[in-house]
Amino acid sequence: YLHADVLPPSPAGRTHEFDGVGVVWLAELNAGADTPQDSTNDGAILLKDELEAFDGPVLPRAFIVEEKVLKSNNAADVTAYLFFDNVDDADRAATVFANLSKTPDRVVMNHVSDHAPCPNPIYRYKGIVEASSRNRKDLDAALVAGQLEGVKPALEVVTRECLLWDNGPVQQAAKIA
């Protein structure tokens, strides 16, 4: 699980009211499919936490995506998540960022699956581009360069990432030791 805390928008972005981006990697795509979230003990606990921590349940705001890494240097600390209404615009943006010479250091293209994690999703974006750099100055420069090349996401959320391991490898390793 990765949680990314929101930073102020880039010079290319607009102000928004989002406070974070969460990324979860699942072993199986159908985990929880067609099951009301509160119908399992774990789901009920998560839903209670979500209602205390956020302005509503997370699943209606979630996406299932097919990820393709276009450029990777794993040394990135800040990431812009760029949301597009049209998958072709997202693909074009990902290509623009991947072809920039210096930054961003990491570019990921995410195609949003038609399979939604809940029956009534709030957002209907079709593509999400992740552009990541080692520092905010370089990321802002890349986002402005993208804008000059015609990249116009419906939403830009700039974040600083923090990797968390809820019930993951760290806890499992502790049990082995």
Side-chain angles (χ1 to χ4, degrees):
Y1 172 73
L2 176 144
H3 178 79
D5 289 327
V6 170
L7 299 171
S10 77
R14 296 183 307 273
T15 302
H16 56 75
E17 302 214 1
F18 294 91
D19 64 359
V21 173
V23 179
V24 178
W25 293 271
L26 299 173
E28 295 180 36
L29 180 61
N30 66 352
D34 301 322
T35 305
Q37 184 174 359
D38 59 358
S39 68
T40 66
N41 188 48
D42 288 347
I45 291 169
L46 282 173
L47 183 58
K48 181 177 182 275
D49 287 347
E50 291 167 8
L51 294 174
E52 290 174 10
F54 307 114
D55 67 351
V58 170
L59 281 180
R61 295 163 173 80
F63 300 94
I64 295 175
V65 300
E66 193 174 312
E67 178 182 76
K68 181 178 180 185
V69 177
L70 302 179
K71 185 177 181 182
S72 182
N73 178 350
N74 298 331
D77 188 37
V78 289
T79 298
Y81 291 88
L82 307 171
F83 296 82
F84 293 85
D85 295 322
N86 179 298
V87 73
D88 293 331
D89 291 344
D91 285 340
R92 184 180 171 289
T95 300
V96 165
F97 289 119
N99 289 331
L100 291 175
S101 61
K102 293 184 181 178
T103 186
D105 299 299
R106 180 174 166 81
V107 178
V108 178
M109 177 63 235
N110 297 288
H111 287 176
V112 176
S113 169
D114 290 333
H115 176 81
C118 75
N120 298 307
I122 293 173
Y123 305 112
R124 306 233 180 243
Y125 298 113
K126 299 298 180 192
I128 305 166
V129 176
E130 299 171 39
S132 304
S133 294
R134 291 185 181 114
N135 63 63
R136 181 62 193 263
K137 180 181 169 192
D138 288 347
L139 181 60
D140 284 349
L143 294 171
V144 169
Q147 184 181 46
L148 293 173
E149 291 291 325
V151 172
K152 294 180 182 161
L155 173 66
E156 169 198 293
V157 181
V158 178
T159 66
R160 177 171 306 281
E161 296 179 1
C162 174
L163 188 60
L164 305 172
W165 288 105
D166 277 346
N167 297 316
V170 171
Q171 189 175 40
Q172 291 170 7
K175 287 181 182 178
I176 294 171

